[in-house]
């Protein structure tokens, strides 16, 4: 193997090892104050991305499908970041209920994405309605935890 090929292989191995090292680390224990601060930052970024995605009007089923997929990806990323934060024991149950409510929204976004893919406007609309119907409960749980941004929720697709 040439020196150039050997260098390229070494760099590739370092990058792959770095990628695997970044996966898995588990949750990070945080104080209640830090949970709120970091969680609200995650929710702020999620909201910003939602607003950006939804700024494009739904002009066709294809646009709806694309938006639903993008919203789902944003939600899944934010949810993973929130799950990486391990709350203090005294608020763990409430935090888990809050995250479970967010999981339900993710499931509804997936349902909406699949409906848009099938060009099924009725199911797409029903998924939107169900996500909106559960918003008040999720926001209440977020407020109980002390969240400001997360307690405002995001617009549903």
């Amino acid at each position: 193997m040439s020196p150039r090929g050997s260098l390229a292989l070494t760099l590739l191995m370092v990058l792959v090892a770095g990628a695997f090292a970044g996966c898995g680390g588990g949750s990070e224990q945080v104080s209640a104050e830090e949970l709120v601060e970091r969680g609200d930052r995650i929710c702020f970024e999620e909201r910003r991305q939602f607003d950006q995605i939804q700024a494009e009007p739904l002009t066709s089923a294809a646009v709806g499908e694309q938006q639903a997929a993008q919203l789902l990806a944003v939600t899944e990323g934010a949810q993973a970041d929130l799950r990486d934060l391990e709350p203090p024991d005294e608020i763990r149950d409430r935090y888990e209920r809050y995250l479970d409510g967010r999981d339900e929204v993710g499931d509804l976004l997936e349902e909406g994405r699949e409906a848009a893919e099938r060009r099924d406007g009725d199911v797409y609309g029903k998924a939107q309605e169900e996500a909106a119907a559960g918003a008040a409960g999720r926001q209440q749980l977020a407020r109980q935890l002390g969240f400001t941004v997360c307690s405002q929720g995001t617009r549903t697709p």
Side-chain angles (χ1 to χ4, degrees):
M1 179 179 289
S2 73
R4 185 180 251 173
S6 178
L7 178 61
L9 182 59
T10 301
L11 286 174
L12 177 62
M13 290 171 51
V14 168
L15 288 173
V16 169
F20 281 116
C23 297
S27 296
E28 178 183 346
Q29 178 85 44
V30 295
S31 68
E33 295 80 19
E34 192 173 4
L35 177 77
V36 168
E37 179 186 319
R38 291 173 67 180
D40 271 343
R41 277 194 308 233
I42 292 165
C43 290
F44 177 83
E45 180 59 23
E46 179 183 39
R47 173 174 288 198
R48 185 192 67 71
Q49 290 180 34
F50 261 52
D51 289 345
Q52 183 179 5
I53 291 165
Q54 292 177 320
E56 182 179 350
L58 286 177
T59 55
S60 69
V63 171
E65 179 182 352
Q66 178 186 20
Q67 281 188 3
Q70 291 171 336
L71 293 170
L72 180 61
V74 169
T75 297
E76 288 174 342
Q79 187 72 346
D81 291 344
L82 288 168
R83 285 220 178 265
D84 281 344
L85 303 175
E86 185 178 328
D89 291 337
E90 61 270 12
I91 61 172
R92 184 176 317 278
D93 288 342
R94 275 184 285 166
Y95 189 61
E96 284 301 319
R97 283 194 311 271
Y98 170 67
L99 294 178
D100 289 346
R102 287 181 52 93
D103 282 339
E104 290 174 16
V105 172
D107 292 344
L108 290 167
L109 285 171
E110 176 61 25
E111 213 174 286
R113 186 201 62 74
E114 290 171 357
E117 187 177 282
R118 292 187 314 270
R119 308 298 193 251
D120 188 338
D122 291 337
V123 172
Y124 183 85
K126 185 176 181 201
Q128 285 182 306
E129 290 171 10
E130 287 182 37
R138 290 186 303 276
Q139 291 168 1
Q140 181 179 4
L141 284 170
R143 277 191 298 277
Q144 289 173 357
L145 290 162
F147 288 117
T148 303
V149 178
C150 295
S151 67
Q152 297 170 10
T154 57
R155 295 187 311 174
T156 55

